[in-house]
Amino acid sequence: MACRMPELPAYAAAVLRALEDAGFEAWVVGGWVRDALLGSASHDVDVCTAAPWQESERALLAAGLAVHRTGTQHGTVTAVSEGKPVEVTTYRVDGAYSDARHPDSVRFVRDVREDLARRDFTINAMAYHPERGLLDMFGGTDDLATGLVRAVGEARERFDEDALRVLRAVRFAARYGFDVEERTHEALAEFAPRLALIAQERIGQELTGIFATGRMAWALERERAVMVEAIPELKPLVGFAQNSPYHAYDSYEHTVRVVRGMECVTAGCANAAMRWAALLHDVAKPATYSEDESGRGHFFGHPELSAKMASSIMRRMAVPGEIVREACALIRLHDRPVTEAGRSLRRTVLRCEELCPGRGEAVAFELLDLKRADDLGKASHCWSYCSELDGVSSALRRELAAHVPLSVRDLAVNGSDVIRERGLEPGPGVGVVLQGLLAAVVEDGVPNTRDALLELLRL
Ligand code: ATP
Ligand code: MG
């Protein structure tokens, strides 16, 4: 690999200098080194040093930098240099891990090499110094060049210590389009069940990270053993035959294709809700399966149950509420027919608005993308529906240009009009009449104009 390091930013060099002027060796480590070797130095800078944190703090303050005690129990302080934070951590090794995640203790050490050896992957275990150059004890540069995520040392031990590394491996591979080195890959499968010991919130963060790479489909396919442990509800989909003329693949393979399809139809710009929805849209298929006399499979109620399961999965992983709500709305509606007919479009937008107040129009377009992606995951004779959906999208755009009311508030008449025209007393009856007008516009295509609605009120 052409190993031309971009220049270390001045604010970070100032931190190294402050520590070294005080007599403590210091290196840049981890993500900045990795990304710099890959040609992008946009990563924040982490520094490790021989100085105990109290000495780091003293040296940095003496150099005029602000210092925050952000994790002194692990030897970390954060310097603020030219307005940018730089984490400075004392060389350390981890003690025993009894909870599959956190070391019971950390031990501070004198040698940077010991610190590098406790890191997770070779590409993350390199140190760099502007004068001393690159310190790469485990072949991280070669692995970056070949495109491999490889555990530092014995892979099985590393995943045994900290099960979260199992998902981190998948995330880093997805992020850079790398493969997982064979022994590391085997160890991933063996230790994936230990993800059960990891906090759900951390699993959610790693999955969000994998989604953000746009390569979730790759992760599901190549590292299936890991992904079904991260979300155990996916396990029953594996090998689940659908026995349906619409489906050429089992439920898991279909899901992988829909997740990939979502990236394709949105050119990689799907939002988090759309990605979660693609992943979980059919999660309840095994639970809702029934067969008719001909042996054909049906999945009555699967959108509703999938939405329910998705909600519980995402909530336990602390996915933000608005993403959960939108993903579940998409899942609930994914099987609903939508045609170019005005009534079908208006009903769809209204339903999206009911489920995601304030987002009805956007969610309706997201739903069409999910339906496109869903078709791409079905048998090839279903794919033509994908181009029909282009027509539906255009029709939806035209319909929305005519200002479809999404609630009674959007009607061209209001409660006072109803009271006056109908001679009603203010009260719930007024709302009922307004709902009737909304239905007339959405269902029967009565124009949402003052004249048309007043005429209806006067009937
Ligand atoms: P990102 O861009 O995702 O933040 P990063 O390399 O900065 O990438 P971090 O999770 O911020 O990743 O961790 C910083 C460094 O600390 C890593 O590069 C790695 O050397 C080490 N590290 C982090 N988490 C672990 C872990 N669970 N086990 C071993 N080493 C770890
Ligand atoms: Mg980081």
Side-chain angles (χ1 to χ4, degrees), residues 276-458:
W276 278 103
L279 178 64
L280 299 175
H281 74 288
D282 271 355
V283 71
K285 273 207 162 170
T288 54
Y289 184 72
S290 64
E291 259 174 35
D292 61 24
E293 320 76 63
S294 69
R296 180 173 160 184
H298 297 280
F299 308 91
F300 300 116
H302 85 270
E304 290 74 19
L305 189 58
S306 293
K308 228 184 218 159
M309 291 173 70
S311 168
S312 102
I313 293 167
M314 295 171 77
R315 284 191 194 283
R316 78 172 181 244
M317 292 183 182
V319 175
E322 63 275 13
I323 296 177
V324 178
R325 188 177 323 123
E326 197 161 308
C328 292
L330 292 169
I331 295 173
R332 188 179 282 261
L333 302 178
H334 82 267
D335 231 17
R336 170 194 175 103
V338 186
T339 69
E340 290 187 29
R343 182 169 151 168
S344 168
L345 297 169
R346 292 188 297 270
R347 275 184 171 181
T348 301
V349 178
L350 207 67
R351 193 78 184 96
C352 291
E353 177 70 16
E354 277 166 21
L355 294 172
C356 302
R359 298 263 309 144
E361 296 186 9
V363 173
F365 283 107
E366 293 172 7
L367 179 64
L368 297 183
D369 281 334
L370 177 58
K371 292 175 82 61
R372 284 188 179 92
D374 196 10
D375 284 319
L376 290 175
K378 293 184 181 169
S380 56
H381 66 82
C382 297
W383 294 350
S384 59
Y385 184 49
C386 228
S387 48
E388 277 176 44
L389 281 165
D390 290 344
V392 176
S393 288
S394 312
L396 178 58
R397 234 166 246 124
R398 280 195 301 276
E399 194 64 35
L400 289 172
H403 303 295
V404 180
L406 297 175
S407 79
V408 293
R409 283 191 308 278
D410 300 332
L411 289 171
V413 294
N414 60 25
S416 318
D417 297 315
V418 173
I419 291 168
R420 190 185 61 247
E421 297 298 332
R422 287 278 168 99
L424 290 179
E425 293 293 319
V430 178
V432 172
V433 175
L434 286 170
Q435 283 296 344
L437 292 178
L438 182 62
V441 174
V442 172
E443 300 293 325
D444 308 330
V446 171
N448 182 27
T449 61
R450 214 172 144 68
D451 285 350
L453 296 180
L454 286 175
E455 198 181 319
L456 267 192
L457 284 174
R458 286 170 190 150

Side-chain angles (χ1 to χ4, degrees), residues 48-347:
C48 67
T49 178
W53 72 262
Q54 297 88 341
E55 299 292 342
S56 300
E57 184 180 60
R58 196 169 307 151
L60 294 162
L61 288 172
L65 304 175
V67 180
H68 300 282
R69 296 179 180 179
T70 44
T72 50
Q73 67 281 26
H74 309 115
T76 302
V77 295
T78 300
V80 183
S81 177
E82 296 177 19
K84 299 200 179 59
V86 177
E87 276 196 6
V88 176
T89 303
T90 310
Y91 299 153
R92 60 170 226 227
V93 293
D94 298 330
Y97 289 74
S98 44
D99 68 351
R101 173 73 189 110
H102 303 99
D104 300 335
S105 59
V106 297
R107 185 162 58 79
F108 298 116
V109 294
R110 307 304 297 256
D111 189 344
V112 65
R113 290 157 198 272
E114 283 187 77
D115 182 289
L116 294 177
R118 60 121 183 140
R119 292 173 185 268
D120 46 8
F121 307 112
T122 62
I123 59 172
N124 287 347
M126 292 180 279
Y128 174 73
H129 188 282
E131 280 118 45
R132 297 190 296 274
L134 187 70
L135 181 56
D136 174 15
M137 300 156 59
F138 305 104
T141 324
D142 289 344
D143 286 337
L144 278 180
T146 332
L148 282 180
V149 171
R150 180 198 307 270
V152 170
E154 184 47 55
R156 300 176 68 252
E157 283 169 22
R158 310 320 307 280
F159 295 134
D160 194 22
E161 288 165 357
D162 176 2
L164 188 68
R165 291 175 186 155
V166 164
L167 267 180
R168 283 175 59 87
V170 177
R171 173 164 64 84
F172 281 111
R175 174 155 151 192
Y176 298 114
F178 285 9
D179 226 329
V180 180
E181 175 273 330
E182 205 44 44
R183 279 175 71 97
T184 305
H185 171 72
E186 281 163 19
L188 281 186
E190 183 180 346
F191 286 89
R194 288 173 69 82
L195 282 173
L197 302 168
I198 298 291
Q200 287 291 313
E201 187 174 349
R202 290 294 292 117
I203 291 186
Q205 287 167 359
E206 290 298 328
L207 293 177
T208 296
I210 296 173
F211 271 130
T213 69
R215 291 202 181 89
M216 178 59 93
W218 171 87
L220 292 165
E221 206 157 48
R222 164 79 179 159
E223 300 298 347
R224 188 175 80 194
V226 173
M227 302 312 288
V228 300
E229 295 297 341
I231 308 177
E233 287 86 346
L234 293 177
K235 272 186 213 173
L237 303 189
V238 178
F240 189 80
Q242 311 208 47
N243 298 326
S244 151
Y246 302 120
H247 284 283
Y249 309 102
D250 71 49
S251 288
Y252 189 84
E253 173 69 29
H254 167 72
T255 296
V256 174
R257 285 168 180 262
V258 176
V259 170
R260 183 173 291 123
M262 183 57 97
E263 298 302 325
C264 293
V265 302
T266 59
C269 293
N271 64 24
M274 295 159 86
R275 287 170 161 159
W276 278 103
L279 178 64
L280 299 175
H281 74 288
D282 271 355
V283 71
K285 273 207 162 170
T288 54
Y289 184 72
S290 64
E291 259 174 35
D292 61 24
E293 320 76 63
S294 69
R296 180 173 160 184
H298 297 280
F299 308 91
F300 300 116
H302 85 270
E304 290 74 19
L305 189 58
S306 293
K308 228 184 218 159
M309 291 173 70
S311 168
S312 102
I313 293 167
M314 295 171 77
R315 284 191 194 283
R316 78 172 181 244
M317 292 183 182
V319 175
E322 63 275 13
I323 296 177
V324 178
R325 188 177 323 123
E326 197 161 308
C328 292
L330 292 169
I331 295 173
R332 188 179 282 261
L333 302 178
H334 82 267
D335 231 17
R336 170 194 175 103
V338 186
T339 69
E340 290 187 29
R343 182 169 151 168
S344 168
L345 297 169
R346 292 188 297 270
R347 275 184 171 181

